[in-house]
């Protein structure tokens, strides 16, 4: 099946930027929608961004619109989340997720990468 590994998290100050990566292995990456969710302590996991299989469509949570950008490189089997103008409320574990190749539900998940925004 699909394996997803996030990287790029860290500790930054408010206003700074981070770029997360999610490296996928397994079949049919180019046929899958990809997304990012995040989960802060004591909170439910929430949707952040998604991108369609050929990057035709992107969606963002209102809280990150204009600050975050999701992209993918199908040749590298990698999806990215560029996070600019970070705020303390962006602090969370960020998870990469993928749909089934023949479905729309988020099915596969990475282990998460911690993003902490201070100030």
């Amino acid at each position: 099946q699909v394996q997803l590994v996030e990287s790029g998290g860290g500790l930054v100050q408010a206003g700074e930027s981070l770029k997360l990566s999610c490296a996928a292995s397994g079949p049919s990456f180019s046929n899958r929608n990809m997304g990012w969710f995040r989960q802060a302590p004591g909170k439910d996991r929430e949707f952040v961004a998604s991108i369609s299989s050929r990057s035709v469509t992107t969606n963002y949570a209102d809280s990150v619109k204009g600050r975050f950008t999701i992209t993918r490189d199908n040749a590298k089997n990698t999806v990215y989340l560029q996070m600019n103008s970070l705020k303390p409320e962006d602090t969370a574990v960020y998870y990469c997720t993928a749909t089934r190749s023949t479905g729309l539900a988020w099915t596969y998940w990475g282990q998460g990468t911690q993003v902490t925004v201070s100030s």
Side-chain angles (χ1 to χ4, degrees), residues 5-8 19-23 34-38 45-51 59-61 68-71 78-83 93-98 106 109 112-113 115:
V5 179
E6 303 96 334
S7 62
K19 188 173 184 178
L20 306 183
S21 297
C22 173
M34 301 293 297
W36 291 93
F37 283 66
R38 66 187 182 187
R45 190 169 297 187
E46 66 174 349
F47 171 79
V48 175
S50 66
I51 188 166
N59 293 101
Y60 298 93
F68 290 12
T69 303
I70 186 170
T71 57
T78 302
V79 62
Y80 306 95
L81 186 68
Q82 177 67 50
M83 305 185 294
V93 176
Y94 283 71
Y95 296 91
C96 179
T97 185
W106 300 117
W109 298 85
T113 186
V115 172

Side-chain angles (χ1 to χ4, degrees), residues 4-82:
L4 304 173
V5 179
E6 303 96 334
S7 62
L11 173 63
V12 298
Q13 296 185 79
E16 295 183 338
S17 298
L18 280 174
K19 188 173 184 178
L20 306 183
S21 297
C22 173
S25 61
S28 302
F29 177 82
S30 63
N31 291 334
R32 304 179 189 276
N33 292 350
M34 301 293 297
W36 291 93
F37 283 66
R38 66 187 182 187
Q39 188 165 25
K43 303 290 186 180
D44 292 336
R45 190 169 297 187
E46 66 174 349
F47 171 79
V48 175
S50 66
I51 188 166
S52 61
S53 60
R54 300 186 66 248
S55 302
V56 173
T57 301
T58 56
N59 293 101
Y60 298 93
D62 287 343
S63 59
V64 307
K65 284 180 181 175
R67 299 189 297 120
F68 290 12
T69 303
I70 186 170
T71 57
R72 68 191 293 162
D73 186 339
N74 285 350
K76 296 181 179 179
N77 285 183
T78 302
V79 62
Y80 306 95
L81 186 68
Q82 177 67 50

